[in-house]
Amino acid sequence: MHNDRSFEIASPLLDSLWLVVSKKEIASPFHILILLFSFTTPLPNHQKNGMAYPLITLLSLLSLLHHSLSCPSSQKQALLQFKSIVAPEPTNDSTPFFAFDSWITNNCCNWEGVTCNPALPSKPVTELMLSDVVPLPYTAPSTAIASLFAIDTLRFLDISENSLEGEIPSEGFTSLVNLTYLDLSSNLLNGTIPSNVFQLRNLKHLNLGGNSLTGFLSSAIANLSKLELLSIEENSLTGQIPAEIGGLIKLKTLSLNQNQFTGEIPQSILRLSSLQVLDLGNNSLTSSIPNQIGALSNLSFLSLKMNQLSGEIPDSISEMKQLQSLELNRNSLTGLIPSSLFDLKMLKKLNLGANHLLLKNSLEIHPRSSFSFLSLRACGLTGSIPGWISDQKELDFLDLSENQLTGSIPLWLTGPQIGSLIMSDNNLTGQIPSNLFNSRNLSVLDLSRNGLSGHLPVNIGNASAIMILLLSRNNLSGHIPPSIINITRLLALDLSANQLSGDSFPQFRPDTYLAYVDLSENSFYGEVPVSFGPQIRSLSLASNKFTGPLPAKLITMNFIENLDLHDNYITGEIPHWIGQISTIYVLNLRDNKLEGSVPLAISNLSKLHVLDLSGNSLTGTVPAEMGRLTGMVDTPIAYYSISDVFTFSLDLSDITTYWKGALRDLGYQRVSTYANLDLSRNQVSGMIPAELGNLKGLKSFNMSYNMLEGEIPATLGLLHKLESLDLSHNKLNGSIPPSFGSLYQLTTLDLSFNKLTGRIPVGGQMSAMTDPGSYANNSGLCGFQIQVRCEPVDPSEVSEGDLDAEGEKSIGDHWLKWAVFCGFVLGFSVAVVVSYFAGFLYPNPPKRYLRRYTQRR
């Protein structure tokens, strides 16, 4: 009877346990009641001694159940520590760390991103997929990584895209002996790669890309002999690629793209016969491509772009029958392009642009490839556009720019499949085919710098998918077609340097994405247009015939960064509301007809680092408040460029400004680190404010051709980054400040046509400023720079900083005269003393002395 009763009690217990264990669920209330009822039912007196057994069984099973449904407590604590570091307790009711919402139950095996091994009784954690658990713009310290070292059963660890800051922990990785997958990519990690990472001998996947790691790639990488993927792209590693990398014979993917590796491509890489992806692009690798690179016959992707490789393209590349993408662009490769490249059946992407390669048009090419991407930029193509391209029915991207192609654009090139067509910098003529704008796939069209003529096609708006439209420096005429507003995805529009005209402009809708507009160097007239939508970041209307005052609607452009209106006929004063355009970096109003004084409100433009108001009729004084232009105080930072959106090179029109005495074009990339202040060719009077010495980021400072007077402030010597300084044609007096000797980057100086006097400072670059024209028509200046001797100075009045070049020469002459004089006095004194003692000792000298003396006489 005892066994029967025990079975009756154990049966529902086992059923409940099975429910919990098999489904990993908590037992229902019904099952819990059964358990309680089974162990509270009274037994006959003769059976009470057996009560202890099912009770003990229950306690044992409950204990076993508790441990079998949860990961080890030490691993749970490690995970909670990781969470506490990357996702601290919220300061309000809402928290953006949604990835941790499930991390509240006792069983960490049920947490999101956590995987345990159910086959083992302890249910250890084996996989952590914790990518992107820290949302932007939050960051977290890299010390969070160390908290996971306690989980020594890990085989898979992905904590990428979490904005982890700091160095990778130098100790602890060796505890993860079972790790086969490690992904720390797309964080903010810096420092070197810890040596103990190279002790994880079971690793098959190592991804450290997209960080800011520095130092060398250690030869200890050879320890990771099981690696199948190694990605350290987009870091700042230096030195040579270690030859030991050739021992990783199981590698299928090797990506070292976008670092600072130098030296040759190691020959040992040719032993990696299993490689399918090899990306060494965007480094500083030199020498030639290994001749036997074709031995990597399993490659489907090969990128050596943006290095300093020279020599010819090896013929052996044609042996890579699996190759689908070949990127050799932007190197210094020479020679003929092997025709065998076009026989690779699998090849879809071929980028050979921006080298010194040559593809003869006379060469008959019948490609067996079906390209989707083809770039032959600057490959010496001449004559008409190669006809064999017309057979490429899957072509989506075509770049034939910077060649010497002639003739018109063929109709077969206007097919519906083309997504990007770049034909700039050729000698193409004729009209732009209207069929080109019937494509719904066309997203990039660049026909800049050719000889195209005629009007813009009226159906230009039919190509509603265009994002980039660049037609600058042609001979296009007429108006801008109204249909252009139908291109709702348009980001950049460049129609500069043509013969377009008119005083009416398309009214782009408020939902347009248009960010870059350049209509400069045309014949547009009327009031300054502001109808390009609210997203404008760069607006250039320079060198047209616009008239009237600056439109107040400019302040509605909430994202404007570059406003260039130079060389027009804009009149009136610079309005005070200009100070409300807080986003602006570049303001160019040069060569207009503006009047009045420089408004104090300009000092509110805290991001401004290029201000050109030259060539107007501005009067009044220079506001001292301009010394608060913080964009010129600190080194300017890079700002948004529309070309950042695309993965290929995009040539936008330059910003023009006076630089080192001449009008020059500054590329957009250079403007991002350039600071310029130009008020020249106006009628500004008064003194140069000493506060302008605060603008320590300035590289060019021009106040020439005004009516400035007084002394040059010594604070200008604090502009240590200054490369060009022009204060000529004013009424400045006094001396040139000695502090100019600290301008170590100065290369251009013009102080001519003033009333300056005194010694020209020496030291720094001032000793190299020896062009007499820099000081012309200052009658009171002296110095070796203009070969005018300065008056001698008292050595006690000369500071150490003045001792250089002419200063040393003049002071040296001064001391030489003193030395000669003192030598004469000393010599005379010695002679007198000797003569005296000689007479005292020898009142009657011997005849032999008299004989020698008379013989010498």
Side-chain angles (χ1 to χ4, degrees):
M1 293 295 296
H2 168 71
N3 292 335
D4 294 339
R5 181 58 178 157
S6 298
F7 178 79
E8 292 175 7
I9 295 173
S11 180
L13 171 63
L14 293 174
D15 290 342
S16 299
L17 289 176
W18 175 251
L19 175 66
V20 177
V21 174
S22 63
K23 297 186 178 181
K24 295 185 179 180
E25 297 178 352
I26 301 299
S28 68
F30 174 74
H31 289 85
I32 294 175
L33 288 174
I34 292 177
L35 290 173
L36 292 175
F37 178 77
S38 300
F39 285 90
T40 56
T41 302
L43 293 177
N45 291 335
H46 64 278
Q47 294 179 343
K48 285 184 179 179
N49 293 335
M51 182 65 186
Y53 295 103
L55 181 57
I56 293 172
T57 303
L58 173 63
L59 294 175
S60 300
L61 288 174
L62 286 176
S63 176
L64 177 62
L65 175 64
H66 171 75
H67 291 288
S68 64
L69 295 183
S70 179
C71 62
S73 60
S74 61
Q75 298 186 355
K76 177 181 176 181
Q77 290 303 315
L79 291 171
L80 290 176
Q81 183 181 0
F82 174 82
K83 175 189 173 185
S84 68
I85 297 175
V86 303
E89 291 297 324
T91 56
N92 49 45
D93 294 337
S94 60
T95 173
F97 297 93
F98 303 114
F100 296 107
D101 286 352
S102 64
W103 288 36
I104 56 175
T105 64
N106 289 328
N107 184 10
C108 61
C109 293
N110 292 334
W111 294 353
E112 182 179 348
V114 180
T115 301
C116 300
N117 185 353
L120 296 177
S122 60
K123 302 297 186 291
V125 176
T126 56
E127 295 185 8
L128 291 178
M129 290 176 283
L130 302 177
S131 175
D132 198 20
V133 297
V134 179
L136 294 173
Y138 294 87
T139 60
S142 61
T143 53
I145 301 172
S147 63
L148 302 177
F149 293 155
I151 310 177
D152 56 4
T153 54
L154 274 180
R155 299 181 62 186
F156 185 106
L157 176 58
D158 183 356
I159 46 178
S160 61
E161 300 184 58
N162 282 308
S163 300
L164 298 176
E165 292 182 306
E167 297 186 359
I168 301 174
S170 58
E171 302 292 338
F173 271 107
T174 51
S175 65
L176 305 180
V177 294
N178 298 308
L179 202 63
T180 62
Y181 187 106
L182 177 59
D183 193 341
L184 303 178
S185 64
S186 302
N187 282 292
L188 302 172
L189 300 170
N190 55 44
T192 59
I193 303 173
S195 59
N196 58 17
V197 169
F198 303 116
Q199 302 302 317
L200 302 175
R201 298 178 183 273
N202 287 312
L203 270 187
K204 295 182 179 180
H205 181 111
L206 177 59
N207 191 347
L208 304 176
N211 285 289
S212 300
L213 300 174
T214 56
F216 302 119
L217 178 57
S218 171
S219 59
I221 190 70
N223 295 335
L224 308 182
S225 58
K226 296 182 180 180
L227 269 186
E228 297 179 3
L229 180 144
L230 174 60
S231 176
I232 317 181
E233 63 186 11
E234 298 178 27
N235 281 285
S236 298
L237 298 183
T238 55
Q240 297 187 356
I241 300 173
E244 289 79 1
I245 210 165
L248 307 178
I249 58 175
K250 294 186 178 181
L251 266 186
K252 296 180 180 178
T253 298
L254 174 59
S255 180
L256 304 180
N257 164 53
Q258 202 168 327
N259 279 279
Q260 300 171 27
F261 287 114
T262 56
E264 301 180 357
I265 299 173
Q267 293 287 331
S268 61
I269 283 184
L270 303 183
R271 299 202 300 264
L272 304 178
S273 57
S274 298
L275 265 187
Q276 298 174 8
V277 174
L278 176 59
D279 190 350
L280 305 180
N282 204 352
N283 281 285
S284 298
L285 300 174
T286 54
S287 192
S288 58
I289 302 172
N291 283 331
Q292 301 304 317
I293 196 169
L296 303 176
S297 57
N298 288 312
L299 275 185
S300 60
F301 180 94
L302 173 60
S303 178
L304 304 176
K305 66 181 181 181
M306 300 175 70
N307 279 287
Q308 301 170 24
L309 299 171
S310 57
E312 299 184 353
I313 299 175
D315 290 330
S316 65
I317 289 183
S318 60
E319 300 171 12
M320 298 179 177
K321 304 302 182 183
Q322 306 300 317
L323 197 61
Q324 299 179 28
S325 178
L326 177 61
E327 297 178 348
L328 303 178
N329 52 299
R330 297 182 68 177
N331 280 284
S332 299
L333 300 174
T334 56
L336 295 176
I337 297 174
S339 59
S340 58
L341 293 181
F342 300 95
D343 293 330
L344 295 172
K345 291 182 180 180
M346 304 291 291
L347 195 59
K348 297 292 183 182
K349 181 176 183 178
L350 178 61
N351 193 344
L352 305 177
N355 282 285
H356 306 294
L357 297 167
L358 181 63
L359 181 65
K360 291 185 177 180
N361 255 15
S362 58
L363 187 66
E364 280 199 28
I365 296 178
H366 302 284
R368 303 175 68 185
S369 314
S370 184
F371 295 112
S372 60
F373 184 110
L374 178 62
S375 175
L376 299 175
R377 177 184 180 185
C379 286
L381 293 173
T382 59
S384 57
I385 297 173
W388 58 265
I389 298 178
S390 63
D391 296 326
Q392 297 296 312
K393 304 303 181 182
E394 298 180 10
L395 197 60
D396 175 67
F397 182 101
L398 177 62
D399 184 354
L400 300 179
S401 61
E402 297 182 36
N403 284 288
Q404 300 175 34
L405 297 172
T406 57
S408 59
I409 299 174
L411 289 178
W412 55 258
L413 202 52
T414 64
Q417 79 280 3
I418 289 288
S420 298
L421 180 60
I422 303 175
M423 307 283 289
S424 57
D425 295 286
N426 281 285
N427 299 310
L428 299 173
T429 55
Q431 296 187 351
I432 300 175
S434 59
N435 287 351
L436 196 59
F437 297 100
N438 290 330
S439 172
R440 299 286 179 169
N441 294 320
L442 190 64
S443 60
V444 176
L445 178 62
D446 186 358
L447 303 176
S448 303
R449 297 175 292 280
N450 279 285
L452 300 170
S453 58
H455 292 188
L456 292 171
V458 294
N459 67 329
I460 194 171
N462 290 352
S464 57
I466 289 183
M467 301 173 70
I468 303 294
L469 180 57
L470 309 178
L471 304 175
S472 65
R473 300 199 177 277
N474 282 284
N475 297 312
L476 302 172
S477 57
H479 303 290
I480 299 176
S483 68
I484 199 170
I485 65 172
N486 296 327
I487 309 178
T488 55
R489 298 178 59 193
L490 192 61
L491 292 173
L493 173 65
D494 189 353
L495 303 177
S496 62
N498 280 286
Q499 301 172 24
L500 300 169
S501 60
D503 62 347
S504 61
F505 296 86
Q507 297 287 325
F508 284 87
R509 293 192 289 262
D511 59 349
T512 182
Y513 297 109
L514 194 57
Y516 174 95
V517 173
D518 191 348
L519 303 181
S520 61
E521 297 184 58
N522 280 288
S523 298
F524 295 113
Y525 57 93
E527 295 183 350
V528 176
V530 288
S531 58
F532 303 105
Q535 303 295 327
I536 285 291
R537 293 177 181 265
S538 178
L539 177 61
S540 181
L541 304 174
S543 300
N544 280 285
K545 301 176 182 178
F546 292 114
T547 56
L550 290 171
K553 285 188 177 180
L554 286 173
I555 63 175
T556 64
M557 297 181 178
N558 296 325
F559 303 99
I560 188 74
E561 295 176 347
N562 170 42
L563 179 60
D564 190 353
L565 302 176
H566 78 264
D567 281 288
N568 279 287
Y569 300 96
I570 299 172
T571 56
E573 297 186 355
I574 300 176
H576 291 280
W577 51 253
I578 200 83
Q580 300 179 38
I581 310 179
S582 59
T583 58
I584 199 162
Y585 285 81
V586 179
L587 177 60
N588 192 346
L589 302 177
R590 183 182 73 244
D591 291 321
N592 279 283
K593 296 182 178 298
L594 296 169
E595 302 172 328
S597 59
V598 179
L600 298 180
I602 276 188
S603 63
N604 296 329
L605 303 178
S606 60
K607 296 183 178 180
L608 191 68
H609 61 258
V610 174
L611 175 61
D612 192 345
L613 303 178
S614 62
N616 284 283
S617 300
L618 299 175
T619 56
T621 60
V622 180
E625 289 79 2
M626 292 183 70
R628 299 201 306 259
L629 290 169
T630 55
M632 301 183 187
V633 173
D634 302 318
T635 301
I637 59 174
Y639 65 98
Y640 171 84
S641 173
I642 194 70
S643 60
D644 296 338
V645 178
F646 298 92
T647 57
F648 54 89
S649 176
L650 187 61
D651 296 324
L652 301 176
S653 296
D654 296 331
I655 293 174
T656 58
T657 187
Y658 278 98
W659 168 254
K660 298 186 178 181
L663 194 63
R664 303 176 189 270
D665 291 335
L666 295 176
Y668 264 75
Q669 299 300 322
R670 187 176 181 185
V671 168
S672 65
T673 56
Y674 178 86
N676 172 33
L677 177 58
D678 194 341
L679 299 180
S680 64
R681 295 181 293 119
N682 281 286
Q683 301 171 30
V684 177
S685 58
M687 300 179 67
I688 299 174
E691 289 80 358
L692 296 186
N694 296 329
L695 307 180
K696 295 180 175 60
L698 278 181
K699 290 193 174 183
S700 178
F701 184 31
N702 192 346
M703 294 239 177
S704 62
Y705 290 93
N706 278 289
M707 296 185 290
L708 298 170
E709 54 190 8
E711 295 187 354
I712 300 174
T715 55
L716 296 189
L718 301 175
L719 305 179
H720 296 157
K721 295 182 179 180
L722 203 61
E723 298 179 17
S724 176
L725 175 62
D726 191 347
L727 302 177
S728 65
H729 294 271
N730 280 287
K731 300 177 181 179
L732 300 171
N733 55 41
S735 61
I736 302 173
S739 61
F740 275 27
S742 299
L743 301 178
Y744 292 102
Q745 297 188 30
L746 193 66
T747 57
T748 302
L749 174 67
D750 194 348
L751 302 176
S752 62
F753 292 90
N754 280 288
K755 300 177 181 180
L756 300 172
T757 59
R759 180 185 303 275
I760 298 173
V762 294
Q765 285 294 100
M766 288 301 297
S767 297
M769 299 289 107
T770 56
D771 181 5
S774 299
Y775 312 98
N777 289 84
N778 286 283
S779 57
L781 289 176
C782 67
F784 81 96
Q785 294 94 331
I786 56 176
Q787 299 182 352
V788 174
R789 185 179 297 276
C790 297
E791 291 298 321
V793 296
D794 188 337
S796 63
E797 299 177 358
V798 180
S799 63
E800 183 179 350
D802 292 331
L803 294 177
D804 194 5
E806 173 63 21
E808 292 180 350
K809 184 171 183 281
S810 60
I811 294 171
D813 291 345
H814 184 73
W815 279 105
L816 180 61
K817 293 175 182 177
W818 273 99
V820 171
F821 174 75
C822 293
F824 173 79
V825 172
L826 180 62
F828 178 78
S829 301
V830 170
V832 170
V833 171
V834 170
S835 299
Y836 172 79
F837 280 102
F840 178 77
L841 294 174
Y842 300 100
N844 297 307
K847 293 182 178 180
R848 62 179 181 272
Y849 290 111
L850 292 175
R851 189 183 305 119
R852 290 180 181 177
Y853 177 76
T854 55
Q855 287 175 351
R856 289 175 183 173
R857 294 292 296 250

